[in-house]
Amino acid sequence: MKTFLYSLLGFVIASVIAWGAMLLWGGLVLQLPPGDSYWDRTPYAADIFLACWLCFATGAAVLAVRLAR
């Protein structure tokens, strides 16, 4: 049970970091207005972001489990 909880914690923390960074990047760097969508402008960006997010979150979950031992 402890392994599952640590992996879930690592996944959640990495997800919050990834999605928060994406929102900050869209708001501060791209300066998108509230009704505009970067996904509509660049269709492949969603695929790249989701792949990177899942890899980052999975790596963080594995690292959290290793640190828990």
Side-chain angles (χ1 to χ4, degrees):
M1 186 68 176
K2 180 176 135 179
T3 303
F4 174 75
L5 291 176
Y6 274 104
S7 65
L8 183 64
L9 178 68
F11 193 88
V12 167
I13 289 172
S15 296
V16 167
I17 291 170
W19 283 94
M22 191 255 326
L23 290 173
L24 285 174
W25 178 69
L28 298 177
V29 176
L30 296 179
Q31 298 179 352
L32 294 174
D36 199 4
S37 172
Y38 183 67
W39 308 129
D40 294 337
R41 292 182 184 188
T42 315
Y44 63 87
D47 297 335
I48 293 172
F49 172 75
L50 290 175
C52 291
W53 164 55
L54 288 176
C55 288
F56 177 58
T58 304
V62 169
L63 179 66
V65 168
R66 288 189 183 253
L67 291 175
R69 291 185 183 184

